[in-house]
Amino acid sequence: MLLTELMFPGETKREIVMEAGRTHFYLIKSSPRHDAAMGGAVLGGLAGLAVVSVATAGEANLGPGELVALDEATARTKLAELEAVE
């Protein structure tokens, strides 16, 4: 699985083993590097984004998001909450 974002200098990758009849549930959250880069962009525009991107280049997750695996019960609860909001 691959997460990318326009104008973001990195990718989040996760290997997934597919099996027939199995469903995987993931919650996608903003990564700490993404949060820092967006904060830099708000405060300093593209120059701020560039400075923060270079400063956070050593992060373990270079991409814009985090993929958090969920068990089925938790995922179904979250999906129900989203449907209730709509």
Side-chain angles (χ1 to χ4, degrees), residues 5-65:
E5 182 176 316
L6 184 65
M7 301 274 301
F8 192 84
E11 300 174 334
T12 300
K13 296 179 184 178
R14 181 169 185 143
E15 295 291 325
I16 298 174
V17 177
M18 304 301 284
E19 297 175 19
R22 179 163 179 191
T23 303
H24 297 265
F25 296 95
Y26 291 92
L27 176 64
I28 301 173
K29 298 180 1 179
S30 174
S31 71
R33 183 175 192 222
H34 178 269
D35 295 342
M38 291 306 105
V42 167
L43 295 176
L46 289 177
L49 175 62
V51 168
V52 173
S53 294
V54 170
T56 59
E59 294 284 328
N61 178 5
L62 295 177

Side-chain angles (χ1 to χ4, degrees), residues 63-78:
E66 291 183 26
L67 294 165
V68 180
L70 299 176
D71 61 273
E72 186 171 353
T74 304
R76 299 250 182 238
T77 301
K78 293 223 179 268

